[in-house]
Structures are given as C-alpha cells and as structure tokens.
Amino acid sequence: MSCLFIFLQKQLIFITPSDLLKSHSTLVIAKMEKPKFSLSALTSTRGALHIAQIVMCAVTFAVSYVWGKPLHTYWIYCMVVWGLCPIISLIITIVEMFLIHKLILVFCMDWDDFTTGMAMMASLCTCSCTAMFANFYICRKCIWGWMVTILSVVCCALYCVETFRDKCDATRSATYVAALPGFIKILEAFVGCIILISLIGYVGKPALLWCIVAYAVPLPLTLLTIITNILTKLKNCLPFSIDRFTMIFLVISVLLYISAAILWPTYSFKENPRPKDCPGNSCIWSIQFVVTIMTYINLGLYVADLVLTCLGICGFKRSQ
C-alpha cells in the first residue's frame, strides 16, 4: 500500500491513504454549519407564502370535506392534492427554519431545485383541482361548490406566485426538476395522473383494458426517474448511466402511448356518437374525450422527452 512520510516538528509521521480520506471527511463535516433555528424562514416573503399556502389548503380541504362527500374520483383527487400540498409546504418550512437544507445540500440533493419543482407541481395540481370543481360541482345554487372553487383559486395563485419568484431568482439553482428535462417529467406524471382518474367506460372492452395498462406502466417509471435525478448522490453511485435507462423506458412509454392513442378513441367512440344531451359535468362521452386529448398530449411529451434524452446521450447540450 502506498503511503506518505511527512516531517512535523522534527518528527517523522507515517500517513496512509485511509488516514487522508478520514481527515478529509472530518474536515468536510467540520466546515458544515450545525442545524440551528432561523426565524427568517417564517418572516421572509417566502416564509409568508408557505404559511398562506398551508392555511388556505387546509381551509379548502376542511370546507370540501364538511360540506359534501360525493366520493367521485375527481373529488378524491382534489382532496389528496389539498391534503398533500400543505404537508409538503410545512416540511419545507421546517427544514429551512432549522437550516437542515444545508446538510441536505451536502449529502443528498439540490434543495433549491427540489423546492422549485415542488412549487411547480403544486401549481399544476391545484390548478387542475380548480378546473375540476368549476366543471363538476358548480351550479347556481351550489354555494358549497362556489366556496371550494374560490378557495382553490387562491391556493393555486399562491403556489404560482412562489413558482414565479423562484424562477425569476437568479441565485437559485435549477439542476433538474426546475429545468426543462425535469419539468417535462413533471408534466408527464401530472397528465398521467389526470388520465388515470378520468378512466371510465372500459368494462367489458379488452382493448380499453390494455389502454389502462399502457397508461399505468409509464407513471411509476417516470416518478422513479425524477426521484433518482433529484437524489444526486444516489444517481452518482449507480453502476449504469441513468440517461440510457431513461431512454429505454421512454421508448417503451412512447410505444405504449401510441397503442393507447389508437385503441382508446377507436373503441371508446365506435358506435358511440356524442349524445344530444351531454352536459360536461356528467357525460361519460365527454370524460372519454378528455382522456383522448390527454393521451395525445402525453404522447407528445414523451416523444419530446425521448428526443432531448437522445440528444443528451449523443453529446448535445440539453437546454437548462
């Protein structure tokens, strides 16, 4: 084993490479600041936004739960969004309040990129909840539906403000989630979720059952790719190239979505024209049409993602 001899105060010291590695690790840990309380995480504009997000999402969740329980898939989706978004905002606030994100930055991931990505995802989800409630649960005498929709608009606006502030802040990094490749992945996962909660009219139709498989398979793979790229230390420890793995799964996803783009509209609308009386909030035909549109949107996103990934593997610089 190689070693080093150094003279210190006229003494010969024997140092092995393992000793150097230990001393380097100790030095890195010593340089890190210990977690401590920081009131600025609450008093700053960013902290105030987080508090407002938590309060408004909690109020929206409570009003929707107390005033009615339709138990539709769209209502359940909205309740999950209004429940998870404030929890994520609360966790981010606590982490930043005790400066734990400085340790996370060293050992795990890019905190700025992660929080900006979460704000973008929350903006998309709360916006979709607003559109769903406005379409399915609002009527002239539905005070409950109006109240929840207005509250949801406020939630969406708060998350959009945070996203806009983060993207305009030149001091914040955008390594993956907040950059183009990661944002496309977020859109893919978001559209995939909307498709899954909108599936209807597939009973007794094997072709449409295959479409459900085509919609379900890419979603967990997309989420796994996002998580792996966020956790930079884990990504660097992988024995294979994450870009090549991503390209393989994107090819599979594109093929699955191509089959769904052909089969879903063919077997959903075959001998099934649009009814004359087909209100948007209760017509199965309209919901099936939404699934069709979302299928083509996600197919386009996966194709664009595949092109960007191929360019990255071939040595071209992807847009950040």
Side-chain angles (χ1 to χ4, degrees):
M1 180 183 294
S2 60
C3 58
L4 296 176
F5 292 92
I6 63 173
F7 286 92
L8 183 62
Q9 294 181 352
K10 299 181 179 180
Q11 292 183 357
L12 182 65
I13 301 177
F14 178 78
I15 300 179
T16 64
S18 60
D19 294 331
L20 288 174
L21 182 60
K22 291 178 181 178
S23 62
H24 179 266
S25 301
T26 305
L27 182 61
V28 170
I29 296 175
K31 286 183 177 180
M32 292 190 307
E33 296 184 24
K34 295 181 179 180
K36 58 183 179 181
F37 180 78
S38 175
L39 190 61
S40 62
L42 297 177
T43 58
S44 64
T45 305
R46 177 179 173 80
L49 271 175
H50 286 168
I51 293 174
Q53 291 165 359
I54 294 169
V55 172
M56 290 308 302
C57 284
V59 171
T60 307
F61 182 93
V63 172
S64 179
Y65 182 81
V66 171
W67 282 69
K69 303 174 185 178
L71 296 179
H72 298 161
T73 54
Y74 290 124
W75 181 82
I76 294 173
Y77 165 80
C78 293
M79 294 296 287
V80 170
V81 169
W82 293 325
L84 284 180
C85 286
I87 292 175
I88 294 174
S89 296
L90 179 61
I91 293 173
I92 291 174
T93 302
I94 293 174
V95 168
E96 293 181 349
M97 187 169 58
F98 290 95
L99 302 179
I100 303 174
H101 61 288
K102 294 188 176 182
L103 298 179
I104 294 176
L105 183 63
V106 173
F107 287 110
C108 188
M109 61 185 176
D110 186 339
W111 181 254
D112 287 346
D113 181 65
F114 170 75
T115 53
T116 302
M118 291 301 100
M120 293 162 63
M121 189 67 183
S123 300
L124 289 171
C125 291
T126 51
C127 180
S128 65
C129 290
T130 303
M132 288 175 187
F133 252 79
N135 183 60
F136 290 98
Y137 305 113
I138 277 187
C139 62
R140 292 183 179 179
K141 298 181 180 180
C142 302
I143 300 177
W144 160 75
W146 282 101
M147 288 180 61
V148 175
T149 302
I150 292 172
L151 290 170
S152 183
V153 169
V154 177
C155 294
C156 179
L158 290 171
Y159 281 108
C160 287
V161 169
E162 182 184 0
T163 301
F164 180 77
R165 282 175 52 86
D166 287 351
K167 295 298 289 183
C168 292
D169 189 351
T171 62
R172 295 180 64 87
S173 59
T175 54
Y176 182 74
V177 183
L180 181 59
F183 182 60
I184 291 179
K185 288 287 193 305
I186 288 179
L187 289 176
E188 292 167 356
F190 169 72
V191 176
C193 289
I194 299 299
I195 290 174
L196 289 178
I197 66 172
S198 302
L199 292 174
I200 193 171
Y202 52 81
V203 178
K205 299 179 179 179
L208 298 186
L209 293 176
W210 165 255
C211 291
I212 296 177
V213 175
Y215 296 137
V217 170
L219 181 58
L221 294 175
T222 302
L223 295 175
L224 179 63
T225 304
I226 293 174
I227 293 172
T228 305
N229 280 279
I230 288 177
L231 301 176
T232 53
K233 299 296 183 182
L234 173 63
K235 177 182 176 181
N236 295 334
C237 293
L238 292 176
F240 55 87
S241 171
I242 186 64
D243 282 341
R244 285 179 170 79
F245 168 79
T246 302
M247 187 181 70
I248 294 173
F249 116 75
L250 284 175
V251 170
I252 296 174
S253 299
V254 168
L255 293 176
L256 289 173
Y257 265 88
I258 288 175
S259 67
I262 296 172
L263 294 176
W264 181 267
T266 299
Y267 287 90
S268 293
F269 305 124
K270 183 179 181 181
E271 300 178 355
N272 180 29
R274 178 184 174 88
K276 294 182 179 180
D277 183 16
C278 187
N281 60 351
S282 59
C283 181
I284 294 179
W285 191 96
S286 296
I287 297 176
Q288 289 177 322
F289 182 74
V290 169
V291 173
T292 302
I293 297 300
M294 290 295 181
T295 299
Y296 289 117
I297 291 175
N298 228 15
L299 175 59
L301 289 172
Y302 276 111
V303 170
D305 198 1
L306 178 60
V307 171
L308 287 174
T309 303
C310 290
L311 291 178
I313 291 177
C314 293
F316 293 94
K317 185 178 180 180
R318 289 183 292 185
S319 173
Q320 295 293 321

